[in-house]
Every structure is written in C-alpha cells, then in structure tokens.
Amino acid sequence: MKPEFFDACVTPLGWNQVDCLREHVKKSGLAEKIELVICSPLLRTMQTAVGVFGGENYTNGISAPPLMVENAADSGRPAISNLNCPPFLAVETCRERLGANPCDKRRSITEYRTLFPAIDFSLIENDEDVLWVPDVRETFESLGERGRKFIDWLWTREEKEIAIVTHSGLLWHTLRMDSKECHPTVRHEVSKYFANCELRSLVLVDRSMLGSDSPSYNYPGKIPDGVDLPSDVADKKQLEEEAQERTEPV
C-alpha cells in the first residue's frame, strides 16, 4: 500500500456516510442513551466517532475544548463541540490489524491531541506508534485474541451503553472467535462482515460474572452503631442457640 495512505483519513464519501449515520443515531434516540464512546486511535475512526456521536458544530465563545478542531487533517470540516455528548476514550487494543499497511499506522498522540483536544488518550502508554512494524503483518489469530482482550477489558467499565468505533477486520475476527459456541444462525448473523459506517447493537452477557454490577446499592446497616433493643437481644439469643446446636451430640 502506498506511503501516502499513512493513517488514512475519512474521504468525502466517508463524511457523507458519517452524516447519514449521525442523523440515524439522533432520530432513533440512541444518542441520548450512549454513556461512553470508545474509539480506535487512528485518524479515520476518531473522525467517524466525533462526527457521529459528538456535539454540534463548535462556535467561538465556547470555553470547553472541541472534540475535533476545524479542518482537522485537511478534512474541510468545521470544528465539533464536546458539549451535550458522551465522553470519548481512545483505546489501543481496538485498532485495525497491525503492520505492513501504512494506513494502519497511527500518528503520535501529541499530534492527535492537537486535532482532537477533548478525546481522552490517557490509556495509551506510548506517544509514538510502537506496535506497527513495516515488514510484518499481524496474524488473524493474534488479531482475534487482541479483540477478545478488548472485550475482557470492556467488562471492567461501569457504563452499560457504550459505542465502539473500530474496524471491520478486528470486529469480524473477534466476533467469529467469540461466537463459536453460539447457534449457527446466531454465529452467522453476529459475524457478518461490517460495511463502512455500519452500526450494530450487541448485548454482551457475562456468564462468568466478571463484569457483574458492583454492590453499589448494598448498605451495611448499624449506622450509627449502638445498642438496639430488643433486636440486639434477639440476635444474641439466636447466635447462642445456633452455637449450642453445633455442640450438642446428634
């Protein structure tokens, strides 16, 4: 692939697709439900993410930094506000297949921060792209495993409604791997290849309880602490009776 395709941006046709998807997201009511937007730290996915789920056009006088500056990467697009929209988080593990193709090599995080000031890049450890190498293409198996690690990480998030803006290759290999135990009809539907700017809703169920709700509604009681008659007397008596039952011969 040609070097000029390095970290490829959204094309004019792609921006039209972004605008159409944004309209759908608004009309369907989905925009009001999304709690977090996670995106791959490549130019085209971040442009898509802010174009679909970001605020309205940025105007002078707004003190908050924009999600995307005006004409980012010569896009010809106006700046996009981060007001009245969910937070955006860039995550390295949901990148496209690594290596060989210049379009899948990212820019430095320092440069990205100038283009997308309101996107959170704090989870990305290295400023420069240390994962992409010019002469080795990531295997499909490695790509799928990386996708599964990304899903495992998703369980650690508290948000329930998350929009993920990533790449068709990663999604296809990850969902095929994760749906092996599903009914063939379900697996076929889940692992269809994604079209550009396609949106699918998936409900992930964590059978291992790794991502179950924390007991945030539990309450320990006895606050403030003190003698509570007669319940304390009854509790003490019950404990004594249970202890006696355990010591009596059968």
Side-chain angles (χ1 to χ4, degrees):
M1 190 171 287
K2 297 180 180 180
E4 55 263 34
F5 291 144
F6 162 68
D7 195 16
C9 62
V10 172
T11 65
L13 173 60
W15 277 115
N16 288 337
Q17 294 170 342
V18 167
D19 292 338
C20 289
L21 179 55
R22 178 183 179 86
E23 183 178 359
H24 167 76
V25 166
K26 292 286 187 181
K27 286 184 176 180
S28 66
L30 179 61
E32 299 175 359
K33 296 181 179 180
I34 298 299
E35 302 170 64
L36 174 69
V37 178
I38 294 174
C39 56
S40 158
L42 290 177
L43 181 60
R44 59 190 182 275
T45 39
M46 290 189 289
Q47 287 179 320
T48 300
V50 301
V52 173
F53 297 103
E56 301 301 329
N57 291 346
Y58 191 83
T59 57
N60 292 331
I62 298 178
S63 58
L67 275 170
M68 186 179 78
V69 299
E70 183 179 2
N71 196 34
D74 299 321
S75 63
R77 302 284 292 196
I80 297 175
S81 168
N82 73 338
L83 300 179
N84 302 315
C85 66
F88 285 68
L89 180 64
V91 178
E92 194 100 85
T93 49
C94 67
R95 283 178 59 174
E96 181 59 290
R97 190 181 177 196
L98 298 166
N101 292 344
C103 64
D104 299 328
K105 178 178 172 60
R106 70 165 171 82
R107 305 168 194 232
S108 70
I109 299 303
T110 299
E111 182 176 356
Y112 280 150
R113 283 194 170 113
T114 65
L115 300 175
F116 304 96
I119 291 183
D120 183 356
F121 295 97
S122 62
L123 294 183
I124 299 180
E125 297 179 358
N126 299 288
D127 186 53
E128 297 295 335
D129 189 355
V130 299
L131 300 178
W132 186 93
V133 290
D135 52 353
V136 178
R137 189 71 166 152
E138 185 178 18
T139 65
F140 291 134
E141 182 180 4
S142 174
L143 179 63
E145 287 294 339
R146 177 159 58 83
R148 295 192 72 175
K149 289 180 181 178
F150 171 70
I151 291 179
D152 287 343
W153 172 81
L154 280 179
W155 293 121
T156 68
R157 302 295 309 186
E158 294 182 354
E159 300 88 355
K160 299 301 181 185
E161 300 283 349
I162 301 176
I164 300 170
V165 184
T166 182
H167 308 270
S168 56
L170 176 83
L171 288 170
W172 191 75
H173 287 282
T174 302
L175 293 176
R176 277 183 61 84
M177 186 175 293
D178 254 19
S179 61
K180 285 182 178 179
E181 298 180 4
C182 295
H183 187 277
T185 303
V186 175
R187 188 183 186 207
H188 173 73
E189 188 65 27
V190 167
S191 59
K192 285 181 180 178
Y193 211 77
F194 280 72
N196 194 43
C197 250
E198 181 179 354
L199 173 67
R200 295 184 199 170
S201 295
L202 295 177
V203 178
L204 301 182
V205 179
D206 183 12
R207 292 183 296 179
S208 70
M209 300 302 290
L210 175 64
S212 61
D213 289 337
S214 61
S216 57
Y217 294 107
N218 289 0
Y219 190 74
K222 300 287 286 185
I223 299 176
D225 197 9
V227 178
D228 185 15
L229 298 175
S231 61
D232 281 351
V233 175
D235 290 343
K236 182 179 179 182
K237 183 177 180 181
Q238 181 176 340
L239 290 173
E240 290 173 347
E241 290 175 349
E242 290 175 352
Q244 184 177 358
E245 288 178 358
R246 288 195 295 269
T247 57
E248 288 179 351
V250 179

